[in-house]
Amino acid sequence: MTSMLGGVRARLRKDEPAARFLDRPFATVQLLILCGVGLLGFGVMMAVSTTIAAAHEGGGSIWSQSIKEAEFIAIGLVLFWFAARLSPRGFRLLAYPVLGLALVALVAVLVPGIGVRILGSQRWINVGPLQLQPSELAKVGVLLWGADLLARKQQLGTLKRARHLCVPLLPGFVFVALLVMLEPDLGTTLCFILILLGLLWTIGMPLRYFAAVLAVIAGAVTLLAISAPYRLQRLFAYTDPFKNAKGSGYHTVESLYALATGGFFGVGLGQGTSKYWVPNANSDFVFAIIGEELGLVGCLAVVLLFGLFAYTGLRLVRRSVDPFARLAAGGATIWLCGQAVINIGYVTGLLPVTGIPLPLISAGGTSLLVTFFVFGMLVGFARHEAHAVTAARRAHRLGRRSRLERWCRIPLPQPYVPPKRRRVAPPMTRSTAPSTRSSAGVRAPAARRRAS
């Protein structure tokens, strides 16, 4: 009777629409595209809604921000297409060139005359009509390098020692973080910390070592936060932002007023007024404008989309057979979701203000381009899941590949082949050495007797 009931429950669960969808070979790809399109849709709506306020602040045309957003989206789609076509091996080949280029750019941005200083921070480089931020490229470089490094060590079986797990991974991250802090940019440094924690968590670092790394990171972030006067003021404003509502607590107070004005359904898209005085309403505090114009419903939709992305990223980590793809997907998921948590946290007053953009929603820039590339990378990894590879190769054999795949020239995914481990010869022991000499000594008299 119990087995019968268990079979009925399993059959009912199998027949559920959600279960049937998640069992499809390309479900991870479709979920990633759904998350990306949904979040980008919010970004486009907010770019159009805040374009007049951005023009009033910057002094340009009223459509300048919308045009700039469209340009970055066009470039981002090309990056997404390029990344979605690559295999995990292709990303491993890109790891060191991207990291090297990022390090050169991080050093160049600190040189007077090359780096552009805005509001006391030298973080940007002018590349033609675009203004790019090298630290965003460094995120991708460090992610790919760290995943490739840990994957190689895992395949060699050397991760059982803490020294091999931490070196050179931790010194490399510290070096890049120091370059970023020279700009200075604590918010981007927190993103590097998220990538590091994501890699260590995905590789399965022992809990005692992981707790030690967390303690060291917490101490370092605390020292960095209190080392600069303006960061220390933000910490004091976090405890009571209304105490200095016109000073250090101004950002938090205005964002809270904007969220409170929206209510449940909001005042309507484009009808909000807080964007005219909320600082960085089109970038760092865009979530406050979503709360005012789209209300609690819009905020919950954004949170649910990021939650769906977190689930999809972890699903990809669990289903990937390539160690590099598993590590890179885990680090990217923790990075983007953690960045969203920090942004929404300081907009709602739950965290101190740090100035981190909301992925795919904040106004276009280098962050948007990098996020497009990372989403394309995750889609490429999802295409190389074992079930997806089997289904794609079967469709190719039967001539049933979709038109979109043919039009976009998406190559056929290849199954993962684990590398062969190098066989190490066993060391010579003292017991084997004498036996060799003795056998030689036995053969020599026998040879002399035959000769005689």
Side-chain angles (χ1 to χ4, degrees):
M1 186 66 179
T2 304
S3 60
M4 184 182 299
L5 290 175
V8 171
R9 293 194 190 98
R11 188 174 303 174
L12 289 175
R13 286 195 298 268
K14 186 177 180 180
D15 292 339
E16 291 177 358
R20 291 200 303 269
F21 173 77
L22 294 177
D23 289 337
R24 295 178 181 178
F26 297 104
T28 307
V29 175
Q30 294 167 351
L31 288 175
L32 285 171
I33 294 177
L34 174 63
C35 296
V37 171
L39 293 172
L40 185 62
F42 274 98
V44 172
M45 287 191 296
M46 290 300 105
V48 175
S49 176
T50 60
T51 184
I52 298 178
H56 183 269
E57 182 180 352
S61 170
I62 60 173
W63 296 109
S64 58
Q65 177 177 283
S66 299
I67 296 174
K68 182 180 178 181
E69 183 79 6
E71 292 173 351
F72 277 109
I73 289 177
I75 300 174
L77 288 175
V78 176
L79 292 176
F80 175 86
W81 170 78
F82 172 76
R85 296 179 75 254
L86 286 180
S87 64
R89 177 175 174 78
F91 284 102
R92 298 186 76 163
L93 295 176
L94 283 178
Y96 286 90
V98 172
L99 180 62
L101 179 62
L103 291 176
V104 172
L106 285 177
V107 174
V109 77
L110 300 175
V111 178
I114 298 179
V116 178
R117 180 174 293 273
I118 299 177
L119 298 177
S121 298
Q122 196 163 325
R123 307 174 185 173
W124 296 269
I125 294 179
N126 287 328
V127 181
L130 302 178
Q131 196 173 78
L132 303 181
Q133 193 170 355
S135 58
E136 295 291 337
L137 178 63
K139 294 177 185 178
V140 178
V142 165
L143 172 67
L144 297 179
W145 169 74
D148 177 70
L149 177 68
L150 292 178
R152 291 179 186 275
K153 290 193 173 188
Q154 187 180 39
Q155 291 164 359
L156 293 175
T158 60
L159 290 180
K160 296 179 181 180
R161 298 180 181 179
R163 179 171 61 88
H164 289 284
L165 188 60
C166 298
V167 179
L169 183 66
L170 294 184
F173 269 86
V174 170
F175 177 70
V176 175
L178 288 177
L179 289 178
V180 174
M181 284 304 302
L182 291 176
E183 298 177 357
D185 192 353
L186 180 59
T188 302
T189 303
L190 293 178
C191 294
F192 285 106
I193 292 174
L194 291 172
I195 295 173
L196 174 62
L197 294 179
L199 291 174
L200 294 178
W201 174 78
T202 306
I203 199 64
M205 188 179 200
L207 182 59
R208 61 183 184 277
Y209 297 134
F210 195 79
V213 171
L214 279 178
V216 172
I217 289 175
V221 171
T222 302
L223 290 176
L224 292 174
I226 64 177
S227 61
Y230 73 95
R231 298 194 202 111
L232 189 60
Q233 290 179 0
R234 288 180 179 180
L235 287 178
F236 290 141
Y238 164 68
T239 59
D240 188 7
F242 290 92
K243 185 176 180 180
N244 191 9
K246 297 299 182 181
S248 57
Y250 181 76
H251 296 72
T252 304
V253 170
E254 293 300 327
S255 65
L256 291 177
Y257 280 146
L259 291 170
T261 304
F264 194 81
F265 293 105
V267 299
L269 186 62
Q271 303 300 315
T273 57
S274 297
K275 56 194 172 188
Y276 293 101
W277 51 77
V278 171
N280 301 320
N282 60 337
S283 56
D284 295 344
F285 284 85
V286 69
F287 189 76
I289 310 305
I290 294 176
E292 182 190 23
E293 298 188 352
L294 302 179
L296 179 63
V297 175
C299 292
L300 288 179
V302 172
V303 172
L304 288 176
L305 283 172
F306 277 111
L308 180 61
F309 171 70
Y311 164 77
T312 308
L314 296 180
R315 168 189 167 93
L316 178 58
V317 171
R318 182 174 56 87
R319 293 167 64 92
S320 295
V321 293
D322 190 327
F324 169 79
R326 185 165 56 248
L327 286 164
T333 302
I334 299 298
W335 158 28
L336 294 180
C337 291
Q339 185 172 326
V341 168
I342 294 175
N343 180 279
I344 296 174
Y346 70 70
V347 169
T348 56
L350 299 177
L351 293 173
V353 177
T354 53
I356 294 179
L358 193 59
L360 287 180
I361 298 181
S362 294
T366 317
S367 175
L368 181 64
L369 299 181
V370 167
T371 308
F372 263 109
F373 182 83
V374 172
F375 262 83
M377 179 185 70
L378 295 177
V379 169
F381 292 161
R383 290 178 52 246
H384 286 80
E385 291 179 355
H387 296 291
V389 170
T390 303
R393 298 179 74 84
R394 185 189 305 116
H396 177 73
R397 186 171 60 253
L398 299 176
R400 296 178 181 175
R401 297 196 76 189
S402 65
R403 292 182 180 178
L404 183 62
E405 289 179 303
R406 297 196 301 269
W407 289 345
C408 296
R409 297 184 179 273
I410 303 297
L412 195 66
Q414 300 296 324
Y416 171 70
V417 179
K420 296 181 179 180
R421 289 190 176 184
R422 293 176 296 180
R423 299 185 63 180
V424 180
M428 183 71 68
T429 60
R430 296 182 62 182
S431 59
T432 57
S435 63
T436 304
R437 290 194 298 269
S438 62
S439 60
V442 170
R443 287 194 300 269
R448 286 194 296 268
R449 285 195 298 272
R450 286 195 299 270
S452 61

